Amino acid sequence: MKKGDTGVDWKTRFKDKVVSAEEAIRRVVRPGDVIGGAMTCGFPQVIPEAIVEHAEELSGITILHGIVVGNAPHYAPELADHFKLRNIFVFDATRAAIKEGRAEYIPMYFYEMAECWRNGVWKTDVSMMQVSPPDADGYMSLGITVGYTPAMMDASRAVLAEVNPNMPRTNCEPIIHVSQVDYLVEGDRPVPTIPRSQPDEVSQAIGRHVAGLIEDGSTLQIGIGAIPDAVLSCLTEHQDLGLHTEMFSDGAVDLLRKGVINNSRKSYLPHKSVVTFLLGTKELYDYADGNPDVVLLPVEKVTHPVVIAQNDKMVAINSALQVDLYGQVNAETIGNLQFSGVGGQVDFVRGATLSRGGKSIIALPSTAAGGKLSRIVPYLDHGSVVTTSRCDVHYVATEYGAVNLKGKSVRERAEALISIAHPQFRDELARAIP
Ligand code: COA
């Protein structure tokens, strides 16, 4: 991080730096600038609205960021001619724009994002993020999202921080001193939340199969989507689990409260839950607020496969949209529609592979579209992409069981996958064995 002057007169500096969002933009944004935004709940709420209001005066602006969970006013269809939109993980607020060609998706491993800013692959002139209010010494927490924000700030000509008293003060690294930002915009919107997913019968069955693969003392990564959360709900009888994951969700808090996750046997940063962002309900955010045992670190210190591998018995649990009979995993596209992103899936699959006693598990329901489509397919749909390759894949689980594809031939892995496909599609799949 850039070193700021952390002298004692930070309160005066703070007052001098607080301006309206409009004024902040007027002072720092120039035509042709790239504005980088923090991801998930770190994405500011007041500043983007001001950018949108001044869309007519701002020419040639590019806006780049990862998942936005709350509002993304710059994605409104009527603004399509004003901003160039670049997205590193597609989610509800940005999916339609990607589909309609109003925004572009950038495929990227999560751990590499910080490096993209640091080595100039991504140029950002102005960066914006939400922070908690300063402490007695003028330090502000990045709250529930660290991710790539520190690297993005370092690469920017100007930094705009939206100070939000609703942003939890987490045990995160780095913390930001008032002197390290150019302008501060005050906001008090609630931090965006997403509801807990409600496990159904299928996801419970998947959860039980996955739970059977997890040994006591393992360290878990839990991916995004309904299935990883269902898996957590099936782990209540396990002991001494640890947490090292990009995303920390409500299901993990339940296990921490029960003492099932206690981080006692972790080989890397023991006694701490290590994450790079939180996404869930307010209860989850309250749990992390001021909690010294939940440590948020920059993405490259959490999801780099070499870092992940320092955890023995690392178990990576992620979901997918389709798996073909070669074992190729598509977690991102439905046909040629970019539905989601790579996120940390491949980072953790590879990190778990490198870990002593590690496992990676791709867990998905056997069907989609109300049972009409098999998710285990002879070939990925036309236009689909491979997220996790057939050489990286390890276990695959559906509600019909879990199979280990590592070391298996093309035919053996096809047969294994067919054994966990929905029975209604097994004959058809058997006829398509490559
Ligand atoms: N064909 C057509 N539609 C499909 C489909 C397929 N093969 N697979 C899924 N769908 C539809 C589902 O029916 C569902 O539609 P609905 O909302 O109308 O019911 C929708 O696509 C979402 O699928 P679902 O499997 O329910 O999504 P999820 O919320 O469980 O998330 C992933 C699954 C794969 C999208 C999610 O894990 C993800 O985003 N992964 C990204 C990579 C990753 O794992 N990164 C690590 C964590 S950041």
Side-chain angles (χ1 to χ4, degrees), residues 89 221 223-227 246 318-322 331 334 339-345 365 368-369 373-375 381 387:
F89 194 104
Q221 174 252 344
I224 196 164
I227 302 300
E246 76 268 51
N318 290 287
S319 197
L321 297 166
Q322 274 187 331
I334 297 179
F339 182 83
S340 178
V342 185
Q345 179 169 125
L373 298 172
S374 177
R375 295 208 200 203
D381 283 352
T387 308

Side-chain angles (χ1 to χ4, degrees), residues 42 47 56 66 127 142 178 189 209 235 247 262 264 304 322 339 346 424:
I47 299 171
E56 295 291 341
S127 58
L142 286 169
V178 165
R189 307 274 172 84
H209 292 304
L235 295 175
M247 177 175 132
N262 58 22
S264 64
H304 194 298
Q322 274 187 331
F339 182 83
V346 182
Q424 160 189 359

Side-chain angles (χ1 to χ4, degrees), residues 39 67 89-91 95 110 197 221-228 245-247 277 317-323 329-335 339-346 348 362-365 367-371 373-377 381 384 387-388:
M39 54 178 274
I67 299 185
F89 194 104
V90 180
F91 206 57
R95 196 168 287 131
F110 200 4
S197 48
Q221 174 252 344
I222 308 295
I224 196 164
I227 302 300
T245 183
E246 76 268 51
M247 177 175 132
F277 71 92
I317 305 158
N318 290 287
S319 197
L321 297 166
Q322 274 187 331
V323 177
V329 177
N330 162 26
E332 297 172 65
T333 56
I334 297 179
F339 182 83
S340 178
V342 185
Q345 179 169 125
V346 182
F348 276 94
I362 298 292
L364 75 170
T367 62
L373 298 172
S374 177
R375 295 208 200 203
I376 303 225
V377 287
D381 283 352
S384 284
T387 308
T388 292

Side-chain angles (χ1 to χ4, degrees), residues 37-232:
M39 54 178 274
T40 52
C41 301
F43 192 75
Q45 305 190 69
V46 176
I47 299 171
E49 286 175 8
I51 294 174
V52 163
E53 269 167 42
H54 292 269
E56 295 291 341
E57 304 120 65
L58 297 170
S59 61
I61 300 294
T62 299
I63 306 179
L64 165 68
H65 49 74
I67 299 185
V68 176
V69 184
N71 287 339
H74 49 302
Y75 270 72
E78 60 275 20
L79 295 170
D81 296 337
H82 290 286
F83 303 119
K84 184 168 184 199
L85 303 172
R86 289 159 70 78
N87 205 191
I88 331 169
F89 194 104
V90 180
F91 206 57
D92 299 354
T94 57
R95 196 168 287 131
I98 295 282
K99 185 177 179 185
E100 291 156 20
R102 292 183 282 110
E104 289 175 24
Y105 168 72
I106 307 173
M108 181 61 61
Y109 295 129
F110 200 4
Y111 84 91
E112 263 195 299
M113 291 183 191
E115 207 43 42
C116 280
W117 267 291
R118 293 224 159 88
N119 64 21
V121 170
W122 289 338
K123 165 185 167 288
T124 297
D125 300 288
V126 177
S127 58
M128 55 181 185
M129 73 291 306
Q130 290 199 90
V131 294
S132 67
D135 65 11
D137 298 314
Y139 286 95
M140 305 175 292
S141 159
L142 286 169
I144 59 174
T145 299
V146 178
Y148 54 69
T149 302
M152 181 181 72
M153 287 174 69
D154 276 354
S156 303
R157 185 187 69 229
V159 175
L160 304 180
E162 188 169 314
V163 185
N164 186 343
N166 300 315
M167 181 56 82
R169 173 169 282 282
T170 59
N171 180 13
C172 74
E173 182 196 308
I175 48 174
I176 310 298
H177 195 261
V178 165
S179 58
Q180 291 171 292
V181 307
D182 294 273
Y183 292 102
L184 295 143
V185 172
E186 290 179 305
D188 62 355
R189 307 274 172 84
V191 175
T193 54
I194 60 166
R196 275 170 172 271
S197 48
Q198 297 301 333
D200 57 12
E201 239 174 74
V202 167
S203 52
Q204 285 288 330
I206 297 169
R208 286 192 292 275
H209 292 304
V210 173
L213 297 173
I214 299 173
E215 294 169 36
D216 291 341
S218 298
T219 292
L220 308 181
Q221 174 252 344
I222 308 295
I224 196 164
I227 302 300
D229 262 355
V231 170
L232 288 171

